[in-house]
Amino acid sequence: MLSPERLALPDYEYLAQRHVLTYMEDAVCQLLENREDISQYGIARFFTEYFNSVCQGTHILFREFSFVQATPHNRVSFLRAFWRCFRTVGKNGDLLTMKEYHCLLQLLCPDFPLELTQKAARIVLMDDAMDCLMSFSDFLFAFQIQFYYSEFLDSVAAIYEDLLSGKNPNTVIVPTSSSGQHRQRPALGEAGMLEGVEASLFYQCLENLCDRHKYSCPPPALVKEALSNVQRLTFYGFLMALSKHHGINQAPGALPDKGDLMHDPAMDEELERLLAQVPGLVNSITASPEASCLPSRTPPRVGSPWRPLHHSRKVDGESDGSTEETDESET
Amino acid sequence: MGIPPEREDVKQQVQYLSQITMKSHLLESPISKCPLYLACHHLKTERIQRDWERQGDAGSEGQKLTVCPIINGEDHLRLLNFQHNFITRIQNISNLQKLISLDLYDNQIEEISGLSTLRCLRVLLLGKNRIKKISNLENLKSLDVLDLHGNQITKIENINHLCELRVLNLARNFLSHVDNLNGLDSLTELNLRHNQITFVRDVDNLPCLQHLFLSFNNISSFDSVSCLADSSSLSDITFDGNPIAQESWYKHTVLQNMMQLRQLDMKRITEEERRMASVLAKKEEEKKRESHKQSLLKEKKRLTINNVARQWDLQQQRVANIATNEDRKDSDSAQDPCQIDGSTLSAFPEETGPLDSGLNNALQGLSVIDTYLVEVDGDTLSLYGSGALESLDRNWSVQTAGMITTVSFTFIEFDEIVHVLPKLKIKFPNSLHLKFKETNLVMLQQFNALAQLRRVDQLTIDPQGNPVVNFTLWKYYVLFRLSHFSMQKINGTEVTQNDMIMAERLFGILAHVASSELPQYRLISILGDARKKQFRYLLESKGKKPGIINEENNDSKRLVGENTNRATLNYTTRDFYNEKLEEIKEKKKFCKTYIEDLVKEATEINMKNEALQKLWPQMFIELVRDAVIEIRNKNSYMKLCLQQITDQK
């Protein structure tokens, strides 16, 4: 972090690179929004909480889409939040349609655009039969690619179109004996008849793209790896390959490994506690006083029908009702 | 006719006979038992007669007649009795031209014939034969009594010339209807018992008819005998054994329509009965008018609903068109406009097609068409069309409002319903079942809005017009978000314990994240003023150290109905949301410029600081050098300082 390079940048650029200004602006905006309430407990505390939540990744919850996509960190936090909240849906094994996943996204971000979800679904379904059902893990990784790298993907799409139509954006126009033709050889022109474009050529263009542009893109080395064993590929084939590539999925640092996708012991514990409080569940004889006062709550006792295999610790019969979740601080 | 005035005795005999005949047909007993009759000449041999009387019954078969015997030298005969024989044809009696009474009861006659010369005939008894058709009675213009009971007659015909006929007995035949009675100007009694009569006509053409017996037929409505009402002479009628007599409205309808009646079903009609009849008839009238009004209202309602449906479809189409246009604008060149557009567009033409043609026909009759409908039906309040939402503002009587347990919304945008939910909560406190049809429920989020109600027992979301039902998880989400309602039924199916568990399992973590991971100020801003108090404990506990059990928490939770950790899952309608974002834009702009200014200031200061850092060593050396140079010559320095001090004064 404390590298000499950062001192070499002019101030404004440095701040912009770290998106500090975005957060500062947003913090001040939030302050203005909730002036009366915040003034009760102090501005210093507000800023503390705000930046704490930024660090923890909870600042994007229920925020508008323009904020959620503003910085890479926001995007990562959002992906992580989505994973944590709806991992249970995936664990249950339900296959959902694109629209339903979009609904779930909207639960966390009310104005999340349908377009993005559609694009993500296209990656999973290979641009085919948009009403198909998708599994949680498939959708999640495709969505990560689409959401985290959306600008990158837009450019890639443009490049792909160019390649498909025979134009190579890479070629430097040098007058040759074949008299100033912009277009590549007919060999590539045939590409339209064969499926997709040539992998190596495609990769070259991508490399240039990554160098040229500032927004985040997948590590080029890993992209090369993903393309290593194919001759030709289509656009969605490429995206699909990206979404299946282990390294690329780990690169943003938002989601766990595919194998561990359903694995979140902390949340599972929490869920157990919540499940135990569902009214009417099998309850013990020893009803705690507070719990018995609450008409809808029964003393939590281990009666939940489903327990993860690894979870060996028994949930104690809590006597303090459901204050647990309010006391629990996030890891 | 046919009896000379000097034969007064015969005339009397005939009159007496006719009277007896009238009575005897009631008992359906042959007139042979009449003493006067026995005194008359009849053709059975005296021996047979006597035997018959001794036995008291019909004679043995071997002694029965099979043909009409030829009677010679009895041309003055007045009465002839051929009862209880096996006669198949009426013949050989054409010479008995003075005959007044002919009795062929209980024979096997199949056709009325051979009577054309009997112009004086007054009484013709052909009961219990096998006659299929009334015919060949043309010359019997003096006929007074015609008895054709117990035959196989299917139609009343060929009797229109019998203007002296007083008694006509057609009981126990195969008549299915009664008409063709005109010309019987003297008829006072008509017996039609035990037939299959379904309707009666022409009775009002009988000026003298007093007694009409229709027992044991197939009359089921008064309309089929409506001509009776127009017969002013009728005083005695029987309907027993008909389906009509079983109806609840039978008696008073008959009495009301036949004011001239004195006796019904052999019972005298009392004043009381008449009064009852008119009262009941009036009630019938009322009921009919009422039901007519009801059916008119129903029709109007149906048309209104159709109209609302039509408007709704048009509106949806418009929205869909706008949406698809926007999509086309936004989508990249590389990616084709998605297939979703195509499917939305195709859905609507199919839907409106059949609806249109039906509506066009229905709407032709109405000139003024309502655009919404509010209907209260016992315990259900039904609202059609967005205009109906305003009706919630009306002054509902406490009783009416208290009775409502079901509220049904149709053809209204859910976002509009969201705005009136608080009103619903106040005005209809007992509404426990909500139904939504064609309300554009598309997102799970929208269910969050229902959390503000007091309590919902049942929820019915009709798949028609509510795409959210197509989602796999929608029921679980509803159960999760509205868990504090302890709902009993969703879309008609009972909510089981397993459903609740599944709902919690699927979305429990969402609730946890939504409550405990939000920073305080977010909680405040999301929950809003009204519920701050409710969730005060949630806010307060944030500051507390973990592990402290707070008694207050449980108390406030007891008061609060809602499951607290999902309180932050709200729904703002799209319009409100966009409005809010618009409002924030100004603030954002300000913040941006403010921060920019701050940054500028900070960078300036930083620059200055850096510059100072760079220059300082040099400056310091200069300062020190200047000072040292100044002090080098002590004396001159001292003089300089003193000079400076004096100058200052």
Side-chain angles (χ1 to χ4, degrees), chain A residues 172-198:
Chain A
V172 177
I173 299 161
V174 175
T176 62
S177 55
S178 50
S179 63
Q181 271 207 343
H182 300 266
R183 298 201 171 265
Q184 279 270 316
R185 286 288 164 68
L188 197 56
E190 282 162 14
M193 299 197 302
L194 298 164
E195 202 178 284
V197 299
E198 212 188 320

Side-chain angles (χ1 to χ4, degrees), chain A residues 72-281:
Chain A
H73 173 68
N74 283 7
R75 296 187 192 189
V76 166
S77 311
F78 184 74
L79 286 167
R80 196 166 175 81
F82 183 73
W83 167 69
R84 284 172 70 232
C85 287
F86 297 114
R87 174 185 59 95
T88 40
V89 172
K91 197 157 187 175
N92 203 36
D94 287 310
L95 298 178
L96 307 180
T97 60
M98 181 270 301
K99 280 211 172 119
E100 199 158 1
Y101 280 119
H102 183 67
C103 243
L104 295 180
L105 284 166
Q106 279 185 319
L107 284 174
L108 293 177
C109 173
D111 57 345
F112 201 88
L114 183 64
E115 209 191 5
L116 268 183
T117 326
Q118 278 171 357
K119 286 186 185 168
R122 272 200 211 115
I123 298 176
V124 178
L125 302 169
M126 297 292 274
D127 203 16
D128 187 30
M130 291 299 285
D131 285 336
C132 260
L133 302 170
M134 302 179 276
S135 77
F136 183 71
S137 58
D138 284 344
F139 176 75
L140 189 57
F141 286 118
F143 179 69
Q144 178 181 239
I145 297 285
Q146 177 62 53
F147 183 50
Y148 192 67
Y149 299 119
S150 34
E151 293 86 355
F152 173 71
L153 288 193
D154 288 344
S155 305
V156 171
I159 291 176
Y160 182 78
E161 280 302 305
D162 286 345
L163 284 180
L164 208 50
S165 61
K167 272 192 294 172
N168 188 338
N170 265 354
T171 45
V172 177
I173 299 161
V174 175
T176 62
S177 55
S178 50
S179 63
Q181 271 207 343
H182 300 266
R183 298 201 171 265
Q184 279 270 316
R185 286 288 164 68
L188 197 56
E190 282 162 14
M193 299 197 302
L194 298 164
E195 202 178 284
V197 299
E198 212 188 320
S200 46
L201 184 61
F202 189 60
Y203 177 67
Q204 273 174 28
C205 305
L206 288 188
E207 222 177 354
N208 292 336
L209 184 67
C210 290
D211 291 339
R212 260 183 298 163
H213 294 275
K214 54 174 163 46
Y215 42 70
S216 46
C217 55
L222 294 177
V223 175
K224 183 158 193 172
E225 212 183 294
L227 296 178
S228 56
N229 45 5
V230 286
Q231 281 293 345
R232 311 192 64 83
L233 40 69
T234 60
F235 181 61
Y236 284 106
F238 168 62
L239 293 181
M240 173 78 105
L242 284 186
S243 75
K244 296 252 190 260
H245 190 276
H246 170 87
I248 294 177
N249 281 336
Q250 294 302 301
L255 302 173
D257 217 18
K258 181 151 186 177
D260 288 335
L261 197 62
M262 301 303 171
H263 191 79
D264 186 359
M267 280 292 110
D268 281 344
E269 256 184 58
E270 194 51 48
L271 189 58
E272 285 296 304
R273 264 181 236 125
L274 289 172
L275 273 177
Q277 284 162 7
V278 171
L281 204 46

Side-chain angles (χ1 to χ4, degrees), chain B residues 440-453:
Chain B
N440 246 349
L441 269 167
V442 292
M443 304 192 281
L444 295 175
Q445 236 190 334
Q446 287 172 306
F447 288 117
N448 292 346
L450 295 178
Q452 61 186 289
L453 293 171

Side-chain angles (χ1 to χ4, degrees), chain B residues 36-49:
Chain B
L36 191 61
Y37 185 78
L38 288 170
C40 293
H41 196 123
H42 49 82
L43 200 64
K44 285 210 180 95
T45 62
E46 284 209 340
R47 189 174 68 78
I48 292 170
Q49 173 69 20

